[in-house]
Amino acid sequence: VKLKNGLDADLRVVHKKSWGAALNYFTGSKDHNIALREIAIKKGMKLNEYGLFKGEKFIAGRTEEELYASLGLSYIEPELREMTGEIEASRENKLPKLVRYGDLLGDLQVQTNWTDGKNSIEEMAEAAIEVGLQYIAITDHTRSLAMTGGSDEKKLRAQMEKIDKLNTTYRNFRILKGAEVNIGKDGSLDINNETLAMLDVVGAAVHSHFNLSREEETRRVIRAMENPHVDIIFHLTGRIINRREAIILDIDEIIKAAKRTATILEIDAFPDRLDIKDEYIRRCVEAGIKMSIDSDAHAIAHFNVLEHGIAQARRGWAEKKDI
């Protein structure tokens, strides 16, 4: 079939009783499917896209839950099916209770037309309310990103006053005062500590010098984390998928520093970024590092990308308590 957007797609129609088996088979991952088929063989059964069979007898396949139960496994969420220990965790009833798509109540990285965003603070707030959020942090860029019209201390303080006034107009919603502060080559920040102390949320991010050595990149990020006013590191590795490679960091040292400084690491939900990647999320979960899921919104439509950030968190085995 041809979709309205011009893409070609295969359409497969299956009998109702094969729905769960077909869904599992065609959505993968391939390695996970192979592992399930091997489990079925050891139990004297056969698994394919039509169902689970013992000889000619149909055993299961109407739902994925039925399929897993018949293989002696607890249900494995789709995002975990990557052969990274989910089969063993399922057998031992040790699968995580993944953060759910309806759990997220706020967004801690939102840009407005005070810098390089398309919409006003008020418009971003209204859009956030419309998608069910209870709070957002306005985190416009700071001065060393001149191409964005980044804020200096004076502009930031003016924005804080504007946000304080706006907050008096909302009953069940709050706008937090924040900034996306630029991390310099040496790890210094481009806004003074006195002004940073006035903000509710301070995010720091790398926007330049992407080709430093592993040691230099790691050192500059850790120095930023050590600033007592920095709450979150936004899009840690700076990658833009298919356009810019991630900076090379010693993730073990970053995680140690995050634990020592109680710094949050962001899961940037924007599809071009999805940064940090799922492997790093899993390591943060294991180390007890808190993460945030943010849209990096630059326009009112961008709040819709938050579900991609939740999906990324789920791929990294994150639970609600990790966010």
Side-chain angles (χ1 to χ4, degrees):
V1 297
K2 188 177 285 292
L3 304 181
K4 284 184 178 179
N5 63 9
L7 286 176
D8 291 329
D10 290 334
L11 175 66
R12 184 171 289 250
V13 180
V14 298
H15 193 281
K16 192 173 182 179
K17 75 174 186 178
S18 297
W19 165 252
L23 181 65
N24 190 270
Y25 181 90
F26 287 108
T27 55
S29 70
K30 180 182 175 183
D31 291 338
H32 181 86
N33 288 155
I34 290 169
L36 294 184
R37 292 203 293 274
E38 287 172 351
I39 292 168
I41 290 166
K42 286 175 184 173
K43 291 179 176 289
M45 295 186 282
K46 178 180 74 174
L47 174 63
N48 56 34
E49 65 266 44
Y50 301 107
L52 182 66
F53 299 87
K54 188 145 194 168
E56 296 297 315
K57 186 183 178 186
F58 178 85
I59 304 296
R62 290 173 180 83
T63 65
E64 289 191 308
E65 288 82 355
E66 176 185 279
L67 196 66
Y68 282 101
S70 298
L71 291 172
L73 300 170
S74 55
Y75 177 68
I76 299 172
E77 296 281 0
E79 297 92 339
L80 297 184
R81 300 172 193 170
E82 296 290 340
M83 288 309 289
T84 56
E86 73 275 12
I87 301 280
E88 295 79 5
S90 173
R91 280 202 183 102
E92 298 167 15
N93 284 315
K94 290 182 179 177
L95 287 168
K97 293 179 180 175
L98 297 178
V99 59
R100 297 171 304 175
Y101 287 96
D103 283 343
L104 199 61
L105 300 178
D107 188 339
L108 296 176
Q109 193 192 160
V110 175
Q111 278 73 222
T112 73
N113 60 7
W114 281 62
T115 56
D116 64 340
K118 290 183 179 177
N119 297 94
S120 67
I121 299 172
E122 299 96 317
E123 288 168 336
M124 295 304 279
E126 291 300 325
I129 291 167
E130 200 168 304
V131 298
L133 297 181
Q134 294 179 15
Y135 62 91
I136 57 172
I138 301 301
T139 56
D140 280 304
H141 292 288
T142 48
R143 62 176 161 206
S144 61
L145 259 70
M147 76 287 288
T148 70
S151 300
D152 58 12
E153 286 82 357
K154 184 180 177 182
K155 189 174 175 182
L156 264 178
R157 290 176 191 229
Q159 189 181 67
M160 288 184 224
E161 286 182 24
K162 169 81 171 174
I163 289 170
D164 281 337
K165 286 178 184 173
L166 280 174
N167 273 326
T168 64
T169 67
Y170 297 109
R171 290 190 62 190
N172 300 309
F173 184 79
R174 184 166 178 79
I175 305 171
L176 299 174
K177 296 169 284 191
E180 181 175 359
V181 185
N182 194 47
I183 300 174
K185 184 178 180 180
D186 62 353
S188 60
L189 305 178
D190 62 346
I191 297 293
N192 66 39
N193 282 337
E194 182 187 357
T195 306
L196 294 181
M198 299 170 69
L199 294 167
D200 298 314
V201 180
V202 176
V206 168
H207 293 103
S208 59
H209 303 292
F210 298 108
N211 298 314
L212 301 179
S213 69
R214 184 171 185 250
E215 293 73 22
E216 289 173 306
E217 295 286 17
T218 302
R219 195 182 309 122
R220 74 191 285 216
V221 172
I222 290 175
R223 183 181 173 194
M225 294 164 83
E226 289 171 341
N227 183 301
H229 303 296
V230 170
D231 302 299
I232 309 172
I233 298 295
F234 288 156
H235 46 72
L236 173 67
T237 72
R239 75 172 182 179
I240 300 178
I241 296 169
N242 291 331
R243 283 165 53 205
R244 186 171 69 211
E245 291 295 319
I247 60 172
I248 301 169
L249 293 164
D250 185 332
I251 192 63
D252 292 325
E253 290 302 314
I254 294 291
I255 286 174
K256 280 183 202 170
K259 198 165 184 87
R260 172 168 53 83
T261 60
T263 305
I264 296 159
L265 296 182
E266 182 193 56
I267 302 168
D268 190 309
F270 214 80
D272 291 10
R273 290 191 181 271
L274 295 176
D275 183 9
I276 49 182
K277 64 181 181 178
D278 53 358
E279 177 193 340
Y280 291 173
I281 294 167
R282 179 90 175 263
R283 288 163 79 168
C284 286
V285 168
E286 290 165 355
I289 304 300
K290 295 287 185 189
M291 292 163 283
S292 66
I293 299 171
D294 306 324
S295 66
D296 199 353
H298 284 67
I300 56 175
H302 292 167
F303 289 115
N304 292 326
V305 308
L306 284 168
E307 66 179 32
H308 300 303
I310 297 169
Q312 184 81 337
R314 287 167 64 90
R315 283 172 59 87
W317 294 49
E319 301 189 17
K320 188 176 179 179
K321 64 181 172 60
D322 299 308
I323 307 300

